[in-house]
Amino acid sequence: MASTTLSRRRFLAFSGVAAGAAALAACAPPTAPAADSGGMTAESVTVSTALTWEAAFQTTQQEFDANFMEENPDIILEPVYNTWSDHNQVVPTWAAADTLPDIIYVHGSRAFPWAFEGITVSMQSHIDADPGFNVAGVWEEALRLYRFEGEQHGIPYDHGPIILGYNKDIFDAAGVAYPSEDWTIEDLVETSIALTNTEGDIPIWGWRGDMPNFGNGTNRNMLNTYGANLYNDEETAIELDTPEARVAVQIWVDLIHKHGAAPTPAESEAFEQNAWIAGQCGMSLFASWSTPTQYAFANYAWDVAPWPAGPAGQSCGSFGSGFSITKNSGNPAAAWRFLSSYLSTEGMEFMWGSSGRGSPARADAYQSWLDSEPASDNAHYFLHALENYAVTGRPYQTLAAPQLLDITGRYQTLLRSGEIDVESAITGIVEEANAAFADAAERMS
């Protein structure tokens, strides 16, 4: 099957007429898609898509869809939009009723359970028959999220590492040098303390207040840098009960409760979004997908730097999102034709790179994001992380993932608020997480 790609010139040529090309569908389950030969003319088929874009980004999708349909007149695209949280709730409902659309947005955290439950299907035969798609051009760290039993059940469109963001205005006012490539976690802690000044009318904290979390985003930022792990590689057991993990976790608790260099949860509640966006924190964890929000709302000079190294080296988490074909697709060949264009280098450049929406999952498309208006001056550090030390955060290959994220999230909230100490948190996480792993193993057997 030949890959159907669209050049940037062609995208721009149609941008003026595409805005009204497709009406936005209501946020309700679509009807079950008809087969290629049923309910359609011989000349065209309908490909239904379930997306999570907010209204402002839907116009970009409309432009892409209009251009694709112009190039592929035998395919009619039918989008449905839901919020991110609603989408994750409604997809299993659609699956139970056999009313899934042809293509669905799949966050990396849902890729494994939805593949295991049969909601998504293998796309491997389409990939293998379409050499023009060049799946090897997609980051391996991104592809692995969507690989089930050795086959791709989805293709990611973005994949981003979580590195260090900093407020240049706060650093400049304090006369402190910006974070450098050779920074360590110790440098981050010392600088956070040095930048903190909560005595004035406008309190300034050196650190945002969020710990690198136990979820599948930044547990590697916190733990791997100290030679610790949250889970084993097979995702069948917890590995948090180690001296290295205790040291690593205590560092971030102390920034809040010992040094006062980060706002407490109670202090953070005073901000409409958070103290970092408000310009009152010197540094923060920063993901590539945070860039559009930062660009839109941060009224100060900011940039990013590599995530600092710990005693065990440099490591940071990474994660992403993608798209899959569903079990109910009556038009899988047409669905793949759309995805092969949508997730090509040109498609990623148009949708997520040049728009600044997110860091593309293809190396060849990454420069378009680095050149976009929202990207910071040193956004190339995201690319450097992807190429050198970013690792997909666990858990993502177990049915226990939702329970594990809930368990670790609860204990992290207690740590941030000072209601529990590190030892008690680790003891509780180990006990509850191992029980969740055992339950998942039983369900999967």
Side-chain angles (χ1 to χ4, degrees), residues 137 142 151 161 164 172 286 346 363 379 398 432 436:
E151 299 191 351
L164 183 65
D172 291 344
F286 200 89
E346 294 84 356
T398 172
E432 292 189 41

Side-chain angles (χ1 to χ4, degrees), residues 122-146:
S122 173
M123 298 161 60
Q124 197 64 49
S125 62
H126 297 295
I127 295 168
D128 293 343
D130 190 357
F133 181 69
N134 184 25
V135 70
V138 180
W139 302 108
E140 171 60 23
E141 280 299 313
L143 286 170
R144 65 191 300 198
L145 274 172
Y146 295 89

Side-chain angles (χ1 to χ4, degrees), residues 374-410:
S376 63
D377 291 343
N378 284 312
H380 61 88
Y381 284 128
F382 287 110
L383 180 59
H384 179 262
L386 279 174
E387 293 177 333
N388 292 277
Y389 62 90
V391 185
T392 301
R394 299 186 185 278
Y396 64 90
Q397 289 181 320
T398 172
L399 291 181
Q403 294 168 275
L404 295 170
L405 295 174
D406 175 68
I407 292 165
T408 55
R410 283 190 285 105

Side-chain angles (χ1 to χ4, degrees), residues 15-95:
S15 61
V17 299
L24 301 184
C27 298
T31 57
D36 288 11
S37 59
M40 305 294 298
T41 68
E43 291 77 23
S44 65
V45 295
T46 296
V47 171
S48 51
T49 60
L51 309 170
T52 60
W53 314 140
E54 72 282 3
F57 195 59
Q58 289 174 19
T59 55
T60 302
Q61 185 68 53
Q62 288 176 323
E63 291 178 22
F64 185 97
D65 289 355
N67 199 26
F68 177 84
M69 288 188 288
E70 179 72 18
E71 297 280 349
N72 299 268
D74 59 322
I75 295 178
I76 299 171
L77 296 172
E78 187 178 88
V80 171
Y81 295 98
N82 288 305
T83 65
W84 190 85
S85 58
D86 286 347
H87 177 85
N88 294 328
Q89 296 296 320
V90 78
V91 164
T93 302
W94 289 344

Side-chain angles (χ1 to χ4, degrees), residues 247-264:
V247 171
V249 177
Q250 190 69 56
I251 287 169
W252 305 97
V253 174
D254 286 349
L255 270 179
I256 303 172
H257 299 295
K258 179 180 179 180
H259 304 300
T264 65

Side-chain angles (χ1 to χ4, degrees), residues 297-323:
F297 295 104
N299 190 26
Y300 55 87
W302 61 278
D303 210 337
V304 295
W307 184 251
Q314 193 173 30
S315 180
C316 73
S318 62
F319 221 69
S321 297
F323 291 93

Side-chain angles (χ1 to χ4, degrees), residues 131-422:
F133 181 69
N134 184 25
V135 70
V138 180
W139 302 108
E140 171 60 23
E141 280 299 313
L143 286 170
R144 65 191 300 198
L145 274 172
Y146 295 89
R147 193 172 294 137
F148 179 72
E149 296 183 343
E151 299 191 351
Q152 290 298 143
H153 274 240
I155 297 292
Y157 68 85
D158 78 341
H159 196 82
I162 301 96
I163 56 175
L164 183 65
Y166 61 97
N167 183 319
K168 297 170 73 172
D169 291 352
I170 289 178
F171 274 78
D172 291 344
V176 175
Y178 299 152
S180 63
E181 294 182 359
D182 60 355
W183 254 32
T184 64
I185 299 294
E186 184 177 343
D187 292 323
L188 185 154
V189 171
E190 291 178 353
T191 303
S192 295
I193 296 170
L195 292 175
T196 299
N197 181 1
T198 57
E199 300 301 319
D201 294 336
I202 301 177
I204 298 296
W205 294 275
W207 182 250
R208 172 175 171 170
D210 291 340
M211 297 166 55
N213 61 53
F214 289 123
N216 47 18
T218 55
N219 64 62
R220 293 188 179 274
N221 297 58
M222 173 170 57
L223 298 172
N224 289 183
T225 51
Y226 277 76
N229 285 295
L230 187 52
Y231 310 109
N232 63 359
D233 289 344
E234 296 75 26
E235 295 187 24
T236 57
I238 199 84
E239 292 190 340
L240 191 60
D241 190 7
T242 66
E244 293 83 3
R246 287 172 172 80
V247 171
V249 177
Q250 190 69 56
I251 287 169
W252 305 97
V253 174
D254 286 349
L255 270 179
I256 303 172
H257 299 295
K258 179 180 179 180
H259 304 300
T264 65
E267 290 169 328
S268 296
E269 289 179 359
F271 297 93
E272 182 176 353
Q273 295 194 55
N274 56 62
W276 163 253
I277 290 291
Q280 291 177 233
C281 291
M283 291 176 287
S284 174
L285 290 155
F286 200 89
S288 59
W289 57 81
S290 302
T291 299
T293 299
Q294 186 77 5
Y295 177 74
F297 295 104
N299 190 26
Y300 55 87
W302 61 278
D303 210 337
V304 295
W307 184 251
Q314 193 173 30
S315 180
C316 73
S318 62
F319 221 69
S321 297
F323 291 93
S324 297
I325 298 173
T326 74
K327 66 171 183 174
N328 295 138
S329 176
N331 310 303
W336 174 252
R337 280 174 59 197
F338 172 73
L339 287 180
S340 69
S341 176
Y342 197 46
L343 303 177
S344 66
T345 297
E346 294 84 356
M348 288 189 189
E349 286 177 336
F350 177 79
M351 286 296 303
W352 303 284
S354 298
S355 70
R357 171 62 179 241
S359 51
R362 286 183 178 275
D364 288 348
Y366 215 85
Q367 191 62 45
S368 65
W369 183 70
L370 296 178
D371 293 339
S372 69
E373 182 65 26
S376 63
D377 291 343
N378 284 312
H380 61 88
Y381 284 128
F382 287 110
L383 180 59
H384 179 262
L386 279 174
E387 293 177 333
N388 292 277
Y389 62 90
V391 185
T392 301
R394 299 186 185 278
Y396 64 90
Q397 289 181 320
T398 172
L399 291 181
Q403 294 168 275
L404 295 170
L405 295 174
D406 175 68
I407 292 165
T408 55
R410 283 190 285 105
Y411 281 102
Q412 183 149 331
T413 297
L414 294 173
L415 282 170
R416 288 187 62 228
S417 65
E419 298 176 62
I420 196 172
D421 61 23
V422 171

